[in-house]
Amino acid sequence: MPGSPGAPALVCSGVTVTVPSASGDLTLLDGIDLTLSERRTAVVGLNGSGKSTFLRLFNGLARPSSGTVTVHGTDVARDVRGARRRVGFVFTDPLSQLVMPTPVEDVELSLRGTGVPRARRRTAALQLLERVGIAHRAEHSIYDLSGGERQLAAFAAVLAVEPDVLVLDEPTTLLDLRNRGRLIELLDGLPHQLLVATHDLGLAATAPRVLVLHGGRLVADGRPGQVLPAYERWCADGFPQERAP
Ligand SMILES: Nc1ncnc2c1ncn2[C@@H]1O[C@H](COP(=O)(O)OP(=O)(O)OP(=O)(O)O)[C@@H](O)[C@H]1O
Ligand SMILES: [Mg+2]
């Protein structure tokens, strides 16, 4: 089913994700009902709270055991390729998505699927690498790059395919302060809808809407000025459902 242009970009309806384990089914996400129409949404939560699993719903890498996930009206379970055309995904581990020997070749590969003619691809790839601040490493081996440099190269390759939505899993984790600042500035100027999971509360504070996941459940959803102080308190004192009644 084709997506409808006016539909809210990202919708989860009654989404639960369970996986089998030796001791019975393990619930990774539990009863997630959300419509994300804001240009930027941040997701925070403890290690193992379900952030990456939640993000992966939108490119079909995590599948709901019940409920539905749609991207611009396209049901991800029914048309995963259609959803992936709209959603660019930047993983926490950049090596999992860089497939070519050098950054410039990787970005050129991404450009192959777009309208950029072959003769212009190298220039366009170099421009994208320049934009994310890594043109000086364009022709180095991916394996010689530092973690942060790889992360920026992966980001350039995802930007190259011009997705409508960018899903970023901890995009600042490997970056130094200068590149973190550059990335935040770059994200700020992008026209894409962004969904970002992060432990970087400064980055989360730049989004108008912040979600808190805990134990696979959505425990807070609102403006950063309200949600982030509550999250910091819960990190120190325990989350509401962990405290004695
Ligand atoms: N395929 C799987 N099988 C079993 N357990 C899984 C699977 N995928 C994820 N998990 C578990 O589900 C929980 C949520 O994982 P997830 O990667 O979504 O957490 P996260 O919030 O992104 O954590 P982090 O901040 O450490 O990146 C973790 O406890 C993880 O071990
Ligand atoms: Mg994660």
Side-chain angles (χ1 to χ4, degrees):
M1 202 204 320
S4 47
L10 307 172
V11 181
C12 286
S13 306
V15 170
T16 295
V17 176
T18 56
V19 291
S21 80
S23 51
D25 279 358
L26 201 61
T27 301
L28 309 189
L29 289 175
D30 194 2
I32 308 288
D33 275 304
L34 276 172
T35 297
L36 302 178
S37 313
E38 289 74 9
R39 271 190 65 211
R40 273 112 186 74
T41 304
V43 189
V44 300
L46 302 180
N47 293 130
S49 56
K51 301 179 299 298
S52 297
T53 309
F54 173 65
L55 261 48
R56 285 162 172 260
L57 290 170
F58 297 104
N59 69 354
L61 282 179
R63 287 176 173 261
S65 316
S66 60
T68 54
V69 178
T70 60
V71 173
H72 280 268
T74 298
D75 184 333
V76 181
R78 289 181 183 209
D79 181 8
V80 74
R81 291 183 60 161
R84 283 180 188 166
R85 269 197 299 277
R86 288 184 177 273
V87 178
F89 203 103
V90 183
F91 295 90
T92 312
D93 172 12
L95 273 186
S96 64
Q97 68 190 114
L98 291 165
V99 292
M100 296 300 280
T102 64
V104 70
E105 289 169 281
D106 208 274
V107 179
E108 279 180 287
L109 178 68
S110 293
L111 288 168
R112 234 194 252 179
T114 67
V116 180
R118 191 182 185 142
R120 285 215 52 248
R121 277 187 215 141
R122 181 145 290 232
T123 310
L126 289 170
Q127 282 169 348
L128 273 163
L129 290 167
E130 179 75 49
R131 199 165 158 206
V132 304
I134 188 138
H136 59 297
R137 291 283 184 268
E139 312 213 11
H140 286 234
S141 163
I142 290 293
Y143 293 98
D144 291 340
L145 299 186
S146 73
E149 289 168 341
R150 284 183 198 140
Q151 201 165 35
L152 293 170
F155 187 47
V158 169
L159 282 182
V161 299
E162 297 182 351
D164 298 319
V165 181
L166 275 174
V167 176
L168 306 151
D169 198 352
E170 298 187 34
T172 57
T173 312
L174 301 171
L175 302 184
D176 64 41
L177 268 185
R178 181 191 289 171
N179 275 333
R180 172 184 176 273
R182 276 189 187 149
L183 184 86
I184 290 176
E185 208 174 298
L186 178 68
L187 293 178
D188 200 42
L190 290 176
H192 310 72
Q193 187 186 13
L194 296 185
L195 176 62
V196 184
T198 188
H199 294 292
D200 175 344
L201 299 190
L203 170 62
T206 64
R209 183 171 179 186
V210 180
L211 314 176
V212 182
L213 287 177
H214 187 68
R217 288 172 174 271
L218 182 67
V219 295
D221 175 0
R223 302 196 65 77
Q226 280 147 5
V227 169
L228 290 174
Y231 174 62
E232 288 188 85
R233 249 190 343 268
W234 295 334
C235 285
D237 303 337
F239 282 70
Q241 71 251 49
E242 289 171 349
R243 290 194 218 120

PDB file of all heavy atoms in Angstrom, residues 45-53 55-56 92 169-170 197-199, ligand 2:
ATOM      1  N   GLY A  45      16.570   6.973  27.877  1.00  0.00           N
ATOM      2  CA  GLY A  45      16.253   5.822  28.736  1.00  0.00           C
ATOM      3  C   GLY A  45      17.543   5.113  29.092  1.00  0.00           C
ATOM      4  O   GLY A  45      18.567   5.276  28.417  1.00  0.00           O
ATOM      5  N   LEU A  46      17.467   4.308  30.144  1.00  0.00           N
ATOM      6  CA  LEU A  46      18.659   3.583  30.613  1.00  0.00           C
ATOM      7  C   LEU A  46      19.131   2.586  29.560  1.00  0.00           C
ATOM      8  O   LEU A  46      18.378   2.245  28.641  1.00  0.00           O
ATOM      9  CB  LEU A  46      18.314   2.818  31.901  1.00  0.00           C
ATOM     10  CG  LEU A  46      17.798   3.639  33.080  1.00  0.00           C
ATOM     11  CD1 LEU A  46      17.504   2.704  34.265  1.00  0.00           C
ATOM     12  CD2 LEU A  46      18.800   4.715  33.478  1.00  0.00           C
ATOM     13  N   ASN A  47      20.341   2.077  29.739  1.00  0.00           N
ATOM     14  CA  ASN A  47      20.816   0.974  28.888  1.00  0.00           C
ATOM     15  C   ASN A  47      19.800  -0.166  28.978  1.00  0.00           C
ATOM     16  O   ASN A  47      19.355  -0.526  30.076  1.00  0.00           O
ATOM     17  CB  ASN A  47      22.180   0.452  29.371  1.00  0.00           C
ATOM     18  CG  ASN A  47      23.282   1.467  29.183  1.00  0.00           C
ATOM     19  OD1 ASN A  47      24.030   1.751  30.111  1.00  0.00           O
ATOM     20  ND2 ASN A  47      23.409   2.007  27.997  1.00  0.00           N
ATOM     21  N   GLY A  48      19.445  -0.706  27.820  1.00  0.00           N
ATOM     22  CA  GLY A  48      18.520  -1.845  27.811  1.00  0.00           C
ATOM     23  C   GLY A  48      17.056  -1.473  27.962  1.00  0.00           C
ATOM     24  O   GLY A  48      16.199  -2.348  28.109  1.00  0.00           O
ATOM     25  N   SER A  49      16.739  -0.168  27.911  1.00  0.00           N
ATOM     26  CA  SER A  49      15.340   0.243  28.123  1.00  0.00           C
ATOM     27  C   SER A  49      14.473   0.038  26.878  1.00  0.00           C
ATOM     28  O   SER A  49      13.248   0.119  26.958  1.00  0.00           O
ATOM     29  CB  SER A  49      15.288   1.714  28.556  1.00  0.00           C
ATOM     30  OG  SER A  49      15.951   2.528  27.601  1.00  0.00           O
ATOM     31  N   GLY A  50      15.107  -0.194  25.717  1.00  0.00           N
ATOM     32  CA  GLY A  50      14.318  -0.463  24.509  1.00  0.00           C
ATOM     33  C   GLY A  50      14.438   0.591  23.425  1.00  0.00           C
ATOM     34  O   GLY A  50      13.738   0.516  22.405  1.00  0.00           O
ATOM     35  N   LYS A  51      15.333   1.553  23.579  1.00  0.00           N
ATOM     36  CA  LYS A  51      15.444   2.660  22.607  1.00  0.00           C
ATOM     37  C   LYS A  51      15.792   2.162  21.204  1.00  0.00           C
ATOM     38  O   LYS A  51      15.138   2.524  20.228  1.00  0.00           O
ATOM     39  CB  LYS A  51      16.514   3.679  23.061  1.00  0.00           C
ATOM     40  CG  LYS A  51      16.249   4.297  24.416  1.00  0.00           C
ATOM     41  CD  LYS A  51      17.349   5.270  24.823  1.00  0.00           C
ATOM     42  CE  LYS A  51      18.722   4.648  24.944  1.00  0.00           C
ATOM     43  NZ  LYS A  51      18.840   3.591  25.975  1.00  0.00           N
ATOM     44  N   SER A  52      16.854   1.347  21.110  1.00  0.00           N
ATOM     45  CA  SER A  52      17.265   0.885  19.774  1.00  0.00           C
ATOM     46  C   SER A  52      16.189   0.000  19.165  1.00  0.00           C
ATOM     47  O   SER A  52      15.918   0.079  17.961  1.00  0.00           O
ATOM     48  CB  SER A  52      18.590   0.112  19.854  1.00  0.00           C
ATOM     49  OG  SER A  52      19.612   0.968  20.301  1.00  0.00           O
ATOM     50  N   THR A  53      15.569  -0.830  19.991  1.00  0.00           N
ATOM     51  CA  THR A  53      14.482  -1.693  19.491  1.00  0.00           C
ATOM     52  C   THR A  53      13.359  -0.815  18.937  1.00  0.00           C
ATOM     53  O   THR A  53      12.833  -1.069  17.844  1.00  0.00           O
ATOM     54  CB  THR A  53      13.961  -2.603  20.622  1.00  0.00           C
ATOM     55  OG1 THR A  53      15.069  -3.261  21.223  1.00  0.00           O
ATOM     56  CG2 THR A  53      12.967  -3.617  20.103  1.00  0.00           C
ATOM     57  N   LEU A  55      13.557   2.286  17.770  1.00  0.00           N
ATOM     58  CA  LEU A  55      13.992   2.922  16.515  1.00  0.00           C
ATOM     59  C   LEU A  55      13.940   1.921  15.358  1.00  0.00           C
ATOM     60  O   LEU A  55      13.522   2.250  14.241  1.00  0.00           O
ATOM     61  CB  LEU A  55      15.426   3.432  16.663  1.00  0.00           C
ATOM     62  CG  LEU A  55      15.629   4.918  16.976  1.00  0.00           C
ATOM     63  CD1 LEU A  55      14.750   5.404  18.094  1.00  0.00           C
ATOM     64  CD2 LEU A  55      17.088   5.226  17.283  1.00  0.00           C
ATOM     65  N   ARG A  56      14.341   0.687  15.639  1.00  0.00           N
ATOM     66  CA  ARG A  56      14.420  -0.326  14.585  1.00  0.00           C
ATOM     67  C   ARG A  56      13.046  -0.728  14.050  1.00  0.00           C
ATOM     68  O   ARG A  56      12.957  -1.334  12.975  1.00  0.00           O
ATOM     69  CB  ARG A  56      15.143  -1.566  15.116  1.00  0.00           C
ATOM     70  CG  ARG A  56      16.633  -1.344  15.226  1.00  0.00           C
ATOM     71  CD  ARG A  56      17.285  -2.359  16.146  1.00  0.00           C
ATOM     72  NE  ARG A  56      18.724  -2.228  16.065  1.00  0.00           N
ATOM     73  CZ  ARG A  56      19.498  -3.019  15.335  1.00  0.00           C
ATOM     74  NH1 ARG A  56      18.974  -4.017  14.657  1.00  0.00           N
ATOM     75  NH2 ARG A  56      20.788  -2.812  15.285  1.00  0.00           N
ATOM     76  N   THR A  92      24.336   2.891  15.772  1.00  0.00           N
ATOM     77  CA  THR A  92      25.343   3.265  16.771  1.00  0.00           C
ATOM     78  C   THR A  92      26.732   2.840  16.309  1.00  0.00           C
ATOM     79  O   THR A  92      27.707   3.567  16.471  1.00  0.00           O
ATOM     80  CB  THR A  92      25.044   2.566  18.122  1.00  0.00           C
ATOM     81  OG1 THR A  92      23.668   2.747  18.419  1.00  0.00           O
ATOM     82  CG2 THR A  92      25.898   3.136  19.230  1.00  0.00           C
ATOM     83  N   ASP A 169      20.681   6.520  15.967  1.00  0.00           N
ATOM     84  CA  ASP A 169      20.844   5.828  17.242  1.00  0.00           C
ATOM     85  C   ASP A 169      22.157   6.271  17.882  1.00  0.00           C
ATOM     86  O   ASP A 169      23.236   5.889  17.429  1.00  0.00           O
ATOM     87  CB  ASP A 169      20.825   4.306  17.008  1.00  0.00           C
ATOM     88  CG  ASP A 169      20.540   3.541  18.283  1.00  0.00           C
ATOM     89  OD1 ASP A 169      20.503   4.170  19.359  1.00  0.00           O
ATOM     90  OD2 ASP A 169      20.348   2.311  18.200  1.00  0.00           O
ATOM     91  N   GLU A 170      22.057   7.094  18.889  1.00  0.00           N
ATOM     92  CA  GLU A 170      23.224   7.644  19.608  1.00  0.00           C
ATOM     93  C   GLU A 170      24.251   8.272  18.664  1.00  0.00           C
ATOM     94  O   GLU A 170      25.410   7.846  18.612  1.00  0.00           O
ATOM     95  CB  GLU A 170      23.871   6.551  20.453  1.00  0.00           C
ATOM     96  CG  GLU A 170      22.925   6.017  21.516  1.00  0.00           C
ATOM     97  CD  GLU A 170      23.601   5.061  22.462  1.00  0.00           C
ATOM     98  OE1 GLU A 170      24.792   5.266  22.734  1.00  0.00           O
ATOM     99  OE2 GLU A 170      22.941   4.132  22.928  1.00  0.00           O
ATOM    100  N   ALA A 197      17.731   8.547  19.298  1.00  0.00           N
ATOM    101  CA  ALA A 197      17.919   7.955  20.632  1.00  0.00           C
ATOM    102  C   ALA A 197      19.266   8.410  21.144  1.00  0.00           C
ATOM    103  O   ALA A 197      20.255   8.387  20.406  1.00  0.00           O
ATOM    104  CB  ALA A 197      17.884   6.437  20.549  1.00  0.00           C
ATOM    105  N   THR A 198      19.313   8.810  22.401  1.00  0.00           N
ATOM    106  CA  THR A 198      20.576   9.362  22.891  1.00  0.00           C
ATOM    107  C   THR A 198      20.686   9.315  24.410  1.00  0.00           C
ATOM    108  O   THR A 198      19.678   9.352  25.121  1.00  0.00           O
ATOM    109  CB  THR A 198      20.744  10.818  22.396  1.00  0.00           C
ATOM    110  OG1 THR A 198      22.051  11.268  22.717  1.00  0.00           O
ATOM    111  CG2 THR A 198      19.706  11.761  22.978  1.00  0.00           C
ATOM    112  N   HIS A 199      21.943   9.220  24.882  1.00  0.00           N
ATOM    113  CA  HIS A 199      22.234   9.428  26.304  1.00  0.00           C
ATOM    114  C   HIS A 199      22.757  10.848  26.514  1.00  0.00           C
ATOM    115  O   HIS A 199      23.119  11.213  27.625  1.00  0.00           O
ATOM    116  CB  HIS A 199      23.290   8.425  26.775  1.00  0.00           C
ATOM    117  CG  HIS A 199      22.820   7.010  26.738  1.00  0.00           C
ATOM    118  ND1 HIS A 199      21.836   6.527  27.576  1.00  0.00           N
ATOM    119  CD2 HIS A 199      23.170   5.960  25.949  1.00  0.00           C
ATOM    120  CE1 HIS A 199      21.619   5.246  27.304  1.00  0.00           C
ATOM    121  NE2 HIS A 199      22.409   4.887  26.318  1.00  0.00           N
TER     122      HIS A 199
HETATM  123 MG    MG B   2      20.672   1.250  21.988  1.00  0.00          MG
END
